[in-house]
Amino acid sequence: MKNKKISAIVQTAVIAAMYAALTYAQNLLLPGTTSAAVQFRVSEALNVLAFFTPMAIPGLALGCVLSNLYNIGSGLPLDMIFGSLATLGSTACIYFLRNVKIKSFPLFAMLMPALWNGIVVGWEIEYFLIEGDFIFWDFLLQGGLVALGELGVMLILGTLLYYMILKRNLDKKLFN
C-alpha cells in the first residue's frame, strides 16, 4: 500500500482480528483453555508479530480486548483491562528487544509475555478473584501458573511461527 497510515491501520486491524478469532475459535472447541489459571491461548503465539512490525503492539492489545469480551460473562470483566495491558507491555518489550539474541534466538523477547502476564494477570487473579487478603505466596502461585502457560505457547508455537516467518521471508512480504 502506498499510504503508510492506511497500511498501519490495516495491519493493526488484521492482527487484532486474527488474535480475537483464534481465541474465540479455541474457546469454542476447547472451553476454558483460554481463560483458566494455566491457559494455553494459541493466539498468544501471534505475539511474535511484534518482532516484525510495531503495528502488532496495538493490534494484539486490541485483539486481547476483543477476545476478553467473552470472559465478561465468565466473571472476569477486569481481564479485558489487565490482560490487555499485559499484552500491550509484553509486545512493546518484544519490539524493543527484537535484536537482542543468544545464538540467533531472541530468548529475552520471547520471555516477555510470560513475565508480563505472570505478574499482571497473576496479581489480577490474586487481588480480585481470590477471597480474603492478598497473600504474596498465592500471588507467586497464580502468576507462576499464568507464566507457565505463556512460556509453553511462546517457546513452542511462538518459536515455530517466528522461524516460519523468517524462513519464508514473510516479514519482508507482509510488513514492508
Side-chain angles (χ1 to χ4, degrees), residues 12-24 41 43-44 46 55-70 80 83-84 87:
T12 301
V14 168
I15 291 169
M18 287 188 328
Y19 185 99
L22 279 171
T23 305
Y24 281 134
R41 277 191 186 185
S43 53
E44 285 290 303
L46 295 176
M55 294 303 101
I57 299 167
L60 291 164
L62 179 60
C64 192
V65 168
L66 294 172
S67 65
N68 284 336
L69 283 172
Y70 173 83
M80 193 168 77
S84 303
T87 298

Side-chain angles (χ1 to χ4, degrees), residues 105 119 131:
F105 183 68
I119 292 170
E131 298 281 331

Side-chain angles (χ1 to χ4, degrees), residues 31-62:
T33 59
T34 63
S35 59
V38 181
Q39 49 187 260
F40 194 89
R41 277 191 186 185
V42 171
S43 53
E44 285 290 303
L46 295 176
N47 284 327
V48 301
L49 296 178
F51 282 102
F52 308 109
T53 178
M55 294 303 101
I57 299 167
L60 291 164
L62 179 60

